[in-house]
PDB file of all heavy atoms in Angstrom:
ATOM      1  N   TRP H   1     159.270  74.536  20.933  1.00 98.00           N
ATOM      2  CA  TRP H   1     158.200  73.676  20.431  1.00 98.00           C
ATOM      3  C   TRP H   1     158.131  73.843  18.920  1.00 98.00           C
ATOM      4  O   TRP H   1     158.120  74.973  18.402  1.00 98.00           O
ATOM      5  CB  TRP H   1     156.863  74.055  21.051  1.00 98.00           C
ATOM      6  CG  TRP H   1     156.750  73.688  22.489  1.00 98.00           C
ATOM      7  CD1 TRP H   1     156.979  74.477  23.581  1.00 98.00           C
ATOM      8  CD2 TRP H   1     156.362  72.407  23.004  1.00 98.00           C
ATOM      9  NE1 TRP H   1     156.771  73.775  24.727  1.00 98.00           N
ATOM     10  CE2 TRP H   1     156.389  72.498  24.408  1.00 98.00           C
ATOM     11  CE3 TRP H   1     155.997  71.193  22.419  1.00 98.00           C
ATOM     12  CZ2 TRP H   1     156.066  71.422  25.237  1.00 98.00           C
ATOM     13  CZ3 TRP H   1     155.676  70.129  23.241  1.00 98.00           C
ATOM     14  CH2 TRP H   1     155.709  70.248  24.636  1.00 98.00           C
ATOM     15  N   TYR H   2     158.080  72.719  18.235  1.00 98.00           N
ATOM     16  CA  TYR H   2     157.838  72.662  16.797  1.00 98.00           C
ATOM     17  C   TYR H   2     156.546  71.891  16.565  1.00 98.00           C
ATOM     18  O   TYR H   2     156.063  71.199  17.460  1.00 98.00           O
ATOM     19  CB  TYR H   2     158.989  71.919  16.100  1.00 98.00           C
ATOM     20  CG  TYR H   2     160.270  72.694  15.980  1.00 98.00           C
ATOM     21  CD1 TYR H   2     161.094  72.890  17.086  1.00 98.00           C
ATOM     22  CD2 TYR H   2     160.686  73.218  14.761  1.00 98.00           C
ATOM     23  CE1 TYR H   2     162.290  73.593  16.987  1.00 98.00           C
ATOM     24  CE2 TYR H   2     161.883  73.923  14.637  1.00 98.00           C
ATOM     25  CZ  TYR H   2     162.675  74.100  15.753  1.00 98.00           C
ATOM     26  OH  TYR H   2     163.857  74.790  15.636  1.00 98.00           O
ATOM     27  N   ARG H   3     156.016  72.006  15.374  1.00 98.00           N
ATOM     28  CA  ARG H   3     154.853  71.194  15.021  1.00 98.00           C
ATOM     29  C   ARG H   3     154.941  70.773  13.559  1.00 98.00           C
ATOM     30  O   ARG H   3     155.580  71.432  12.753  1.00 98.00           O
ATOM     31  CB  ARG H   3     153.547  71.944  15.283  1.00 98.00           C
ATOM     32  CG  ARG H   3     153.297  73.146  14.368  1.00 98.00           C
ATOM     33  CD  ARG H   3     152.044  73.889  14.826  1.00 98.00           C
ATOM     34  NE  ARG H   3     151.762  75.045  13.983  1.00 98.00           N
ATOM     35  CZ  ARG H   3     150.814  75.933  14.239  1.00 98.00           C
ATOM     36  NH1 ARG H   3     150.047  75.804  15.337  1.00 98.00           N
ATOM     37  NH2 ARG H   3     150.619  76.947  13.420  1.00 98.00           N
ATOM     38  N   GLN H   4     154.293  69.653  13.284  1.00 98.00           N
ATOM     39  CA  GLN H   4     154.270  69.132  11.926  1.00 98.00           C
ATOM     40  C   GLN H   4     152.881  68.605  11.622  1.00 98.00           C
ATOM     41  O   GLN H   4     152.412  67.658  12.273  1.00 98.00           O
ATOM     42  CB  GLN H   4     155.310  68.034  11.737  1.00 98.00           C
ATOM     43  CG  GLN H   4     155.464  67.577  10.308  1.00 98.00           C
ATOM     44  CD  GLN H   4     156.692  66.714  10.102  1.00 98.00           C
ATOM     45  OE1 GLN H   4     157.254  66.164  11.050  1.00 98.00           O
ATOM     46  NE2 GLN H   4     157.138  66.607   8.863  1.00 98.00           N
ATOM     47  N   ALA H   5     152.235  69.221  10.665  1.00 97.00           N
ATOM     48  CA  ALA H   5     150.926  68.770  10.212  1.00 97.00           C
ATOM     49  C   ALA H   5     151.114  67.774   9.072  1.00 97.00           C
ATOM     50  O   ALA H   5     152.153  67.775   8.405  1.00 97.00           O
ATOM     51  CB  ALA H   5     150.099  69.969   9.750  1.00 97.00           C
ATOM     52  N   PRO H   6     150.135  66.923   8.808  1.00 92.00           N
ATOM     53  CA  PRO H   6     150.261  65.930   7.738  1.00 92.00           C
ATOM     54  C   PRO H   6     150.587  66.587   6.401  1.00 92.00           C
ATOM     55  O   PRO H   6     149.945  67.554   5.997  1.00 92.00           O
ATOM     56  CB  PRO H   6     148.881  65.271   7.708  1.00 92.00           C
ATOM     57  CG  PRO H   6     148.361  65.443   9.081  1.00 92.00           C
ATOM     58  CD  PRO H   6     148.861  66.777   9.551  1.00 92.00           C
ATOM     59  N   GLY H   7     151.611  66.065   5.738  1.00 94.00           N
ATOM     60  CA  GLY H   7     151.996  66.574   4.432  1.00 94.00           C
ATOM     61  C   GLY H   7     152.761  67.874   4.444  1.00 94.00           C
ATOM     62  O   GLY H   7     153.057  68.429   3.384  1.00 94.00           O
ATOM     63  N   GLN H   8     153.078  68.376   5.634  1.00 96.00           N
ATOM     64  CA  GLN H   8     153.789  69.647   5.745  1.00 96.00           C
ATOM     65  C   GLN H   8     155.113  69.454   6.458  1.00 96.00           C
ATOM     66  O   GLN H   8     155.336  68.455   7.145  1.00 96.00           O
ATOM     67  CB  GLN H   8     152.937  70.671   6.482  1.00 96.00           C
ATOM     68  CG  GLN H   8     151.640  71.006   5.771  1.00 96.00           C
ATOM     69  CD  GLN H   8     150.894  72.151   6.429  1.00 96.00           C
ATOM     70  OE1 GLN H   8     151.479  72.947   7.156  1.00 96.00           O
ATOM     71  NE2 GLN H   8     149.608  72.243   6.163  1.00 96.00           N
ATOM     72  N   GLU H   9     156.005  70.439   6.293  1.00 97.00           N
ATOM     73  CA  GLU H   9     157.288  70.377   6.969  1.00 97.00           C
ATOM     74  C   GLU H   9     157.134  70.779   8.439  1.00 97.00           C
ATOM     75  O   GLU H   9     156.206  71.499   8.802  1.00 97.00           O
ATOM     76  CB  GLU H   9     158.291  71.307   6.272  1.00 97.00           C
ATOM     77  CG  GLU H   9     158.653  70.869   4.869  1.00 97.00           C
ATOM     78  CD  GLU H   9     159.795  71.681   4.283  1.00 97.00           C
ATOM     79  OE1 GLU H   9     160.229  72.647   4.924  1.00 97.00           O
ATOM     80  OE2 GLU H   9     160.252  71.329   3.186  1.00 97.00           O
ATOM     81  N   ARG H  10     158.079  70.316   9.239  1.00 97.00           N
ATOM     82  CA  ARG H  10     158.082  70.702  10.643  1.00 97.00           C
ATOM     83  C   ARG H  10     158.420  72.189  10.733  1.00 97.00           C
ATOM     84  O   ARG H  10     159.328  72.679  10.073  1.00 97.00           O
ATOM     85  CB  ARG H  10     159.118  69.877  11.406  1.00 97.00           C
ATOM     86  CG  ARG H  10     159.019  69.966  12.903  1.00 97.00           C
ATOM     87  CD  ARG H  10     159.936  68.971  13.593  1.00 97.00           C
ATOM     88  NE  ARG H  10     159.555  67.591  13.306  1.00 97.00           N
ATOM     89  CZ  ARG H  10     160.082  66.538  13.925  1.00 97.00           C
ATOM     90  NH1 ARG H  10     160.997  66.719  14.867  1.00 97.00           N
ATOM     91  NH2 ARG H  10     159.702  65.325  13.602  1.00 97.00           N
ATOM     92  N   GLU H  11     157.681  72.916  11.574  1.00 98.00           N
ATOM     93  CA  GLU H  11     157.890  74.343  11.706  1.00 98.00           C
ATOM     94  C   GLU H  11     158.039  74.747  13.164  1.00 98.00           C
ATOM     95  O   GLU H  11     157.464  74.122  14.055  1.00 98.00           O
ATOM     96  CB  GLU H  11     156.717  75.125  11.091  1.00 98.00           C
ATOM     97  CG  GLU H  11     155.388  74.901  11.772  1.00 98.00           C
ATOM     98  CD  GLU H  11     154.282  75.798  11.241  1.00 98.00           C
ATOM     99  OE1 GLU H  11     154.545  76.653  10.384  1.00 98.00           O
ATOM    100  OE2 GLU H  11     153.133  75.646  11.709  1.00 98.00           O
ATOM    101  N   LEU H  12     158.819  75.805  13.374  1.00 98.00           N
ATOM    102  CA  LEU H  12     158.999  76.330  14.716  1.00 98.00           C
ATOM    103  C   LEU H  12     157.729  77.033  15.170  1.00 98.00           C
ATOM    104  O   LEU H  12     157.171  77.861  14.447  1.00 98.00           O
ATOM    105  CB  LEU H  12     160.172  77.308  14.752  1.00 98.00           C
ATOM    106  CG  LEU H  12     160.419  78.005  16.088  1.00 98.00           C
ATOM    107  CD1 LEU H  12     160.870  77.021  17.150  1.00 98.00           C
ATOM    108  CD2 LEU H  12     161.446  79.120  15.919  1.00 98.00           C
ATOM    109  N   VAL H  13     157.283  76.717  16.377  1.00 98.00           N
ATOM    110  CA  VAL H  13     156.114  77.372  16.974  1.00 98.00           C
ATOM    111  C   VAL H  13     156.563  78.454  17.946  1.00 98.00           C
ATOM    112  O   VAL H  13     156.115  79.586  17.878  1.00 98.00           O
ATOM    113  CB  VAL H  13     155.232  76.343  17.693  1.00 98.00           C
ATOM    114  CG1 VAL H  13     154.071  77.041  18.395  1.00 98.00           C
ATOM    115  CG2 VAL H  13     154.724  75.291  16.714  1.00 98.00           C
ATOM    116  N   ALA H  14     157.440  78.079  18.868  1.00 98.00           N
ATOM    117  CA  ALA H  14     157.902  79.024  19.883  1.00 98.00           C
ATOM    118  C   ALA H  14     159.202  78.513  20.477  1.00 98.00           C
ATOM    119  O   ALA H  14     159.429  77.302  20.524  1.00 98.00           O
ATOM    120  CB  ALA H  14     156.863  79.206  20.979  1.00 98.00           C
ATOM    121  N   SER H  15     160.037  79.446  20.922  1.00 97.00           N
ATOM    122  CA  SER H  15     161.299  79.068  21.547  1.00 97.00           C
ATOM    123  C   SER H  15     161.563  79.960  22.748  1.00 97.00           C
ATOM    124  O   SER H  15     161.033  81.079  22.844  1.00 97.00           O
ATOM    125  CB  SER H  15     162.458  79.156  20.556  1.00 97.00           C
ATOM    126  OG  SER H  15     162.645  80.498  20.130  1.00 97.00           O
ATOM    127  N   ILE H  16     162.414  79.456  23.659  1.00 95.00           N
ATOM    128  CA  ILE H  16     162.798  80.222  24.837  1.00 95.00           C
ATOM    129  C   ILE H  16     164.231  79.873  25.185  1.00 95.00           C
ATOM    130  O   ILE H  16     164.640  78.719  25.081  1.00 95.00           O
ATOM    131  CB  ILE H  16     161.839  79.941  26.013  1.00 95.00           C
ATOM    132  CG1 ILE H  16     162.129  80.878  27.185  1.00 95.00           C
ATOM    133  CG2 ILE H  16     161.881  78.480  26.435  1.00 95.00           C
ATOM    134  CD1 ILE H  16     161.008  80.877  28.235  1.00 95.00           C
ATOM    135  N   VAL H  17     165.001  80.898  25.559  1.00 91.00           N
ATOM    136  CA  VAL H  17     166.381  80.666  25.962  1.00 91.00           C
ATOM    137  C   VAL H  17     166.510  80.905  27.460  1.00 91.00           C
ATOM    138  O   VAL H  17     165.567  81.386  28.107  1.00 91.00           O
ATOM    139  CB  VAL H  17     167.359  81.553  25.168  1.00 91.00           C
ATOM    140  CG1 VAL H  17     167.306  81.192  23.696  1.00 91.00           C
ATOM    141  CG2 VAL H  17     167.051  83.020  25.396  1.00 91.00           C
ATOM    142  N   GLY H  18     167.697  80.595  27.984  1.00 79.00           N
ATOM    143  CA  GLY H  18     167.873  80.642  29.422  1.00 79.00           C
ATOM    144  C   GLY H  18     167.564  81.991  30.040  1.00 79.00           C
ATOM    145  O   GLY H  18     167.078  82.061  31.163  1.00 79.00           O
ATOM    146  N   GLY H  19     167.821  83.064  29.310  1.00 83.00           N
ATOM    147  CA  GLY H  19     167.539  84.392  29.842  1.00 83.00           C
ATOM    148  C   GLY H  19     166.070  84.752  29.820  1.00 83.00           C
ATOM    149  O   GLY H  19     165.682  85.820  30.310  1.00 83.00           O
ATOM    150  N   GLY H  20     165.259  83.875  29.250  1.00 88.00           N
ATOM    151  CA  GLY H  20     163.819  84.114  29.215  1.00 88.00           C
ATOM    152  C   GLY H  20     163.319  84.770  27.948  1.00 88.00           C
ATOM    153  O   GLY H  20     162.133  85.035  27.809  1.00 88.00           O
ATOM    154  N   ILE H  21     164.221  85.018  27.012  1.00 94.00           N
ATOM    155  CA  ILE H  21     163.797  85.636  25.751  1.00 94.00           C
ATOM    156  C   ILE H  21     163.016  84.610  24.944  1.00 94.00           C
ATOM    157  O   ILE H  21     163.435  83.462  24.791  1.00 94.00           O
ATOM    158  CB  ILE H  21     165.018  86.132  24.961  1.00 94.00           C
ATOM    159  CG1 ILE H  21     165.739  87.223  25.754  1.00 94.00           C
ATOM    160  CG2 ILE H  21     164.597  86.651  23.591  1.00 94.00           C
ATOM    161  CD1 ILE H  21     167.046  87.659  25.151  1.00 94.00           C
ATOM    162  N   THR H  22     161.869  85.038  24.433  1.00 97.00           N
ATOM    163  CA  THR H  22     160.994  84.147  23.685  1.00 97.00           C
ATOM    164  C   THR H  22     160.845  84.603  22.234  1.00 97.00           C
ATOM    165  O   THR H  22     161.081  85.768  21.901  1.00 97.00           O
ATOM    166  CB  THR H  22     159.605  84.080  24.333  1.00 97.00           C
ATOM    167  OG1 THR H  22     159.053  85.396  24.380  1.00 97.00           O
ATOM    168  CG2 THR H  22     159.680  83.519  25.746  1.00 97.00           C
ATOM    169  N   ASN H  23     160.450  83.656  21.418  1.00 97.00           N
ATOM    170  CA  ASN H  23     160.222  83.930  19.992  1.00 97.00           C
ATOM    171  C   ASN H  23     159.042  83.082  19.551  1.00 97.00           C
ATOM    172  O   ASN H  23     158.905  81.927  19.980  1.00 97.00           O
ATOM    173  CB  ASN H  23     161.465  83.572  19.177  1.00 97.00           C
ATOM    174  CG  ASN H  23     161.284  83.875  17.705  1.00 97.00           C
ATOM    175  OD1 ASN H  23     160.948  84.992  17.333  1.00 97.00           O
ATOM    176  ND2 ASN H  23     161.494  82.891  16.860  1.00 97.00           N
ATOM    177  N   TYR H  24     158.168  83.658  18.716  1.00 98.00           N
ATOM    178  CA  TYR H  24     156.959  82.965  18.293  1.00 98.00           C
ATOM    179  C   TYR H  24     156.786  83.054  16.785  1.00 98.00           C
ATOM    180  O   TYR H  24     157.144  84.066  16.154  1.00 98.00           O
ATOM    181  CB  TYR H  24     155.723  83.586  18.940  1.00 98.00           C
ATOM    182  CG  TYR H  24     155.670  83.446  20.433  1.00 98.00           C
ATOM    183  CD1 TYR H  24     156.174  84.441  21.264  1.00 98.00           C
ATOM    184  CD2 TYR H  24     155.099  82.321  21.032  1.00 98.00           C
ATOM    185  CE1 TYR H  24     156.134  84.315  22.635  1.00 98.00           C
ATOM    186  CE2 TYR H  24     155.047  82.193  22.402  1.00 98.00           C
ATOM    187  CZ  TYR H  24     155.563  83.184  23.201  1.00 98.00           C
ATOM    188  OH  TYR H  24     155.515  83.057  24.564  1.00 98.00           O
ATOM    189  N   ALA H  25     156.202  82.014  16.225  1.00 98.00           N
ATOM    190  CA  ALA H  25     155.761  82.082  14.840  1.00 98.00           C
ATOM    191  C   ALA H  25     154.631  83.097  14.749  1.00 98.00           C
ATOM    192  O   ALA H  25     153.830  83.241  15.672  1.00 98.00           O
ATOM    193  CB  ALA H  25     155.273  80.714  14.378  1.00 98.00           C
ATOM    194  N   ASP H  26     154.556  83.797  13.629  1.00 98.00           N
ATOM    195  CA  ASP H  26     153.520  84.804  13.458  1.00 98.00           C
ATOM    196  C   ASP H  26     152.121  84.213  13.622  1.00 98.00           C
ATOM    197  O   ASP H  26     151.211  84.878  14.129  1.00 98.00           O
ATOM    198  CB  ASP H  26     153.635  85.451  12.080  1.00 98.00           C
ATOM    199  CG  ASP H  26     154.833  86.378  11.963  1.00 98.00           C
ATOM    200  OD1 ASP H  26     155.382  86.777  13.022  1.00 98.00           O
ATOM    201  OD2 ASP H  26     155.230  86.698  10.836  1.00 98.00           O
ATOM    202  N   SER H  27     151.955  82.974  13.217  1.00 97.00           N
ATOM    203  CA  SER H  27     150.631  82.345  13.234  1.00 97.00           C
ATOM    204  C   SER H  27     150.108  82.091  14.639  1.00 97.00           C
ATOM    205  O   SER H  27     148.913  81.845  14.813  1.00 97.00           O
ATOM    206  CB  SER H  27     150.670  81.030  12.453  1.00 97.00           C
ATOM    207  OG  SER H  27     151.619  80.145  13.014  1.00 97.00           O
ATOM    208  N   VAL H  28     150.977  82.119  15.646  1.00 98.00           N
ATOM    209  CA  VAL H  28     150.535  81.816  17.017  1.00 98.00           C
ATOM    210  C   VAL H  28     150.709  82.993  17.961  1.00 98.00           C
ATOM    211  O   VAL H  28     150.305  82.908  19.126  1.00 98.00           O
ATOM    212  CB  VAL H  28     151.260  80.581  17.585  1.00 98.00           C
ATOM    213  CG1 VAL H  28     151.121  79.391  16.632  1.00 98.00           C
ATOM    214  CG2 VAL H  28     152.723  80.865  17.882  1.00 98.00           C
ATOM    215  N   LYS H  29     151.286  84.089  17.502  1.00 98.00           N
ATOM    216  CA  LYS H  29     151.500  85.247  18.375  1.00 98.00           C
ATOM    217  C   LYS H  29     150.174  85.732  18.950  1.00 98.00           C
ATOM    218  O   LYS H  29     149.179  85.849  18.243  1.00 98.00           O
ATOM    219  CB  LYS H  29     152.171  86.379  17.598  1.00 98.00           C
ATOM    220  CG  LYS H  29     153.662  86.203  17.430  1.00 98.00           C
ATOM    221  CD  LYS H  29     154.271  87.369  16.660  1.00 98.00           C
ATOM    222  CE  LYS H  29     155.757  87.166  16.434  1.00 98.00           C
ATOM    223  NZ  LYS H  29     156.358  88.224  15.597  1.00 98.00           N
ATOM    224  N   GLY H  30     150.187  85.985  20.250  1.00 97.00           N
ATOM    225  CA  GLY H  30     148.982  86.450  20.925  1.00 97.00           C
ATOM    226  C   GLY H  30     148.063  85.335  21.379  1.00 97.00           C
ATOM    227  O   GLY H  30     147.123  85.576  22.137  1.00 97.00           O
ATOM    228  N   ARG H  31     148.317  84.112  20.928  1.00 98.00           N
ATOM    229  CA  ARG H  31     147.476  82.975  21.323  1.00 98.00           C
ATOM    230  C   ARG H  31     148.249  81.952  22.151  1.00 98.00           C
ATOM    231  O   ARG H  31     147.697  81.320  23.039  1.00 98.00           O
ATOM    232  CB  ARG H  31     146.900  82.288  20.082  1.00 98.00           C
ATOM    233  CG  ARG H  31     146.039  83.175  19.224  1.00 98.00           C
ATOM    234  CD  ARG H  31     145.339  82.374  18.123  1.00 98.00           C
ATOM    235  NE  ARG H  31     146.260  81.746  17.195  1.00 98.00           N
ATOM    236  CZ  ARG H  31     146.309  80.430  16.971  1.00 98.00           C
ATOM    237  NH1 ARG H  31     145.460  79.620  17.597  1.00 98.00           N
ATOM    238  NH2 ARG H  31     147.174  79.941  16.096  1.00 98.00           N
ATOM    239  N   PHE H  32     149.520  81.757  21.828  1.00 98.00           N
ATOM    240  CA  PHE H  32     150.353  80.763  22.508  1.00 98.00           C
ATOM    241  C   PHE H  32     151.376  81.467  23.391  1.00 98.00           C
ATOM    242  O   PHE H  32     151.876  82.542  23.053  1.00 98.00           O
ATOM    243  CB  PHE H  32     151.108  79.899  21.500  1.00 98.00           C
ATOM    244  CG  PHE H  32     150.261  78.954  20.686  1.00 98.00           C
ATOM    245  CD1 PHE H  32     148.881  79.026  20.685  1.00 98.00           C
ATOM    246  CD2 PHE H  32     150.872  77.972  19.916  1.00 98.00           C
ATOM    247  CE1 PHE H  32     148.115  78.163  19.936  1.00 98.00           C
ATOM    248  CE2 PHE H  32     150.124  77.091  19.154  1.00 98.00           C
ATOM    249  CZ  PHE H  32     148.739  77.197  19.149  1.00 98.00           C
ATOM    250  N   THR H  33     151.709  80.813  24.502  1.00 98.00           N
ATOM    251  CA  THR H  33     152.736  81.338  25.395  1.00 98.00           C
ATOM    252  C   THR H  33     153.670  80.211  25.803  1.00 98.00           C
ATOM    253  O   THR H  33     153.222  79.176  26.306  1.00 98.00           O
ATOM    254  CB  THR H  33     152.119  81.954  26.655  1.00 98.00           C
ATOM    255  OG1 THR H  33     151.199  82.987  26.289  1.00 98.00           O
ATOM    256  CG2 THR H  33     153.202  82.543  27.555  1.00 98.00           C
ATOM    257  N   ILE H  34     154.964  80.421  25.586  1.00 98.00           N
ATOM    258  CA  ILE H  34     155.965  79.453  26.020  1.00 98.00           C
ATOM    259  C   ILE H  34     156.564  79.933  27.334  1.00 98.00           C
ATOM    260  O   ILE H  34     156.788  81.139  27.531  1.00 98.00           O
ATOM    261  CB  ILE H  34     157.062  79.252  24.941  1.00 98.00           C
ATOM    262  CG1 ILE H  34     157.976  78.075  25.301  1.00 98.00           C
ATOM    263  CG2 ILE H  34     157.866  80.530  24.707  1.00 98.00           C
ATOM    264  CD1 ILE H  34     158.928  77.663  24.177  1.00 98.00           C
ATOM    265  N   SER H  35     156.796  78.995  28.240  1.00 96.00           N
ATOM    266  CA  SER H  35     157.396  79.343  29.520  1.00 96.00           C
ATOM    267  C   SER H  35     158.231  78.163  29.998  1.00 96.00           C
ATOM    268  O   SER H  35     158.153  77.066  29.436  1.00 96.00           O
ATOM    269  CB  SER H  35     156.327  79.702  30.557  1.00 96.00           C
ATOM    270  OG  SER H  35     155.454  78.612  30.777  1.00 96.00           O
ATOM    271  N   ARG H  36     159.029  78.403  31.029  1.00 93.00           N
ATOM    272  CA  ARG H  36     159.857  77.318  31.546  1.00 93.00           C
ATOM    273  C   ARG H  36     160.064  77.514  33.036  1.00 93.00           C
ATOM    274  O   ARG H  36     159.887  78.610  33.567  1.00 93.00           O
ATOM    275  CB  ARG H  36     161.206  77.237  30.810  1.00 93.00           C
ATOM    276  CG  ARG H  36     161.972  78.563  30.656  1.00 93.00           C
ATOM    277  CD  ARG H  36     162.771  78.919  31.749  1.00 93.00           C
ATOM    278  NE  ARG H  36     163.710  80.001  31.503  1.00 93.00           N
ATOM    279  CZ  ARG H  36     163.781  81.022  32.311  1.00 93.00           C
ATOM    280  NH1 ARG H  36     162.949  81.143  33.327  1.00 93.00           N
ATOM    281  NH2 ARG H  36     164.699  81.943  32.108  1.00 93.00           N
ATOM    282  N   ASP H  37     160.458  76.422  33.699  1.00 89.00           N
ATOM    283  CA  ASP H  37     160.825  76.579  35.092  1.00 89.00           C
ATOM    284  C   ASP H  37     162.239  77.135  35.147  1.00 89.00           C
ATOM    285  O   ASP H  37     162.938  77.219  34.137  1.00 89.00           O
ATOM    286  CB  ASP H  37     160.689  75.262  35.861  1.00 89.00           C
ATOM    287  CG  ASP H  37     161.667  74.192  35.381  1.00 89.00           C
ATOM    288  OD1 ASP H  37     162.453  74.437  34.452  1.00 89.00           O
ATOM    289  OD2 ASP H  37     161.638  73.087  35.949  1.00 89.00           O
TER     290      ASP H  37
END
């Protein structure tokens, strides 16, 4: 998931790979959770 606010560049929010490893932007750590089927 990426996000883009008005007047700002698109930024990575969170990512997940097939093995289930996740990565989060510092600004959303502890608040957002990425998951997949």
Side-chain angles (χ1 to χ4, degrees):
W1 289 96
Y2 286 75
R3 68 186 180 187
Q4 188 168 19
Q8 298 187 21
E9 294 189 354
R10 192 172 296 189
E11 64 174 356
L12 176 67
V13 176
S15 64
I16 187 166
V17 296
I21 297 173
T22 58
N23 182 54
Y24 295 93
D26 288 343
S27 59
V28 307
K29 280 180 183 175
R31 300 188 298 121
F32 291 11
T33 303
I34 189 170
S35 60
R36 48 85 167 130
D37 65 359

